[in-house]
Amino acid sequence: MAGLLLMRFVDRKGPYAVMVYPLLSLPFLLVLGVAGLQGNAFIALSLIGAIFVKGSHYGITSIAGIFYPSAIRANGAGWAASVGKVGSILGPLLGAYVLNSGLPVVRSFAILALCPAVLALCAFCVARIYPHGETSIEPADNGKRVTPATTR
């Protein structure tokens, strides 16, 4: 549901909308890492933080394809998904490293809150370069620029 809600804003605001969810997850993850919450409060904040983190993943996936020209869009989105798969392997390794560091488990949330912060920073940088997913390269047909009026 969080991803669907975010998509409404991504259509209008482009990559800037993607950085909202990671920023919203930060306070929840930091409170989990700093305050010694237990019981229902811990579960509720964990759930809310997880919703925003997962919504962030949907947002990044949704904007990956808009930064490639039409001629190579599927290839570019495929590469973006492949890089995401590498992240899905390295993410649990990072989590295991943090948990194995000797910190209390609850404090690990504060350390792992850096990941959404990095995601928000990356989304901001991408949005500064391509505000609405506009690319400067368009596919060519026999050396001519293809415009919506000339395609059939």
Side-chain angles (χ1 to χ4, degrees), residues 43-91:
I43 291 171
L45 286 179
S46 296
L47 179 65
I48 293 169
I51 287 170
F52 286 130
V53 168
K54 188 63 177 171
S56 302
H57 291 197
Y58 285 123
I60 288 296
T61 303
S62 73
I63 66 167
I66 65 175
F67 295 103
Y68 298 101
S70 298
I72 61 167
R73 186 163 291 150
N75 191 9
W79 272 100
S82 298
V83 170
K85 300 297 181 196
V86 171
S88 70
I89 293 168
L90 296 178

Side-chain angles (χ1 to χ4, degrees), residues 19 70 73 75 77-78 80 83 93-94 100 102 104-105 116-118 127-128 139 152:
M19 90 179 162
S70 298
R73 186 163 291 150
N75 191 9
V83 170
L93 292 175
L94 175 65
N100 195 29
V105 174
V118 170
R128 295 281 297 171
R152 294 177 196 203

